[in-house]
Amino acid sequence: MADQERKPLLSNQAPVGVGSIPVPSAPLTSAGSSADRPPSYAESQGAVATQTAPCDVCHKVLRFSNNATLVKCPDCKQHTAMKPPPPGKRYFRCGECSTLSKCNVSVHAVKCPKCQHITKIGPPPPGKKSGNCYACDTVLLYPFNAYVVRCTRCLARNVTDRSKLNRLLLLLFLVGFLLIGIGVGVTVATFENPSAGLYVACYGPIVAGVMLWVRGVMMRCMYGHSIRAGDGRA
């Protein structure tokens, strides 16, 4: 009886029952283990990038995924096409800033959206001719019947047909000479009997002829440079 009173009320091993917590047979995996962590950005990129190609500008090896169309180089910051363009489109690279852009297949020259430089990428359309500006080497597109074209970049005047310009200058000189002759003839004929109404008939043709001569000299000075034959780039 005394031995039973000396026994503790709670034994060292708690019986399995209500309120007891079962001990798991396998240890729990900690939250910070590598099995539960998501893959890093570098690991995910390394897993996706399965192909390589050189950059078109700096020739650095670029890694890209199978569904990538354009890849930006981390060194030169320029894009490189990894897939062909859609039907009816084509890629072109600017000759000044090396920017890659997309345009229609039928176009002759394309202006870069970044530096506004014009690049010649194909033959001119029917009824048009092309050449390079003598001042800034920009590609210019003009019709066949034009004898002077103005550059869209530096606003310089380029002569496209020197013979047509010379014929125009000769015509201005002849018309001016004819008007001056008419004015001098009317002035001599009415010199003895001047009147207020004849002043316009006398001096008007002379002034108009002189203005035509001045215009011809100005055109000859302004249109002194001819357009250059382009080599395909602006």
Side-chain angles (χ1 to χ4, degrees), residues 27-40:
L28 295 175
T29 306
S30 61
S33 62
S34 60
D36 294 339
R37 285 202 311 266
S40 61

Side-chain angles (χ1 to χ4, degrees), residues 165-177 212:
L165 179 62
N166 293 335
R167 289 196 297 268
L168 178 61
L169 295 178
L170 181 61
L171 179 63
L172 291 177
F173 177 79
L174 294 178
V175 173
F177 183 80
L212 289 179

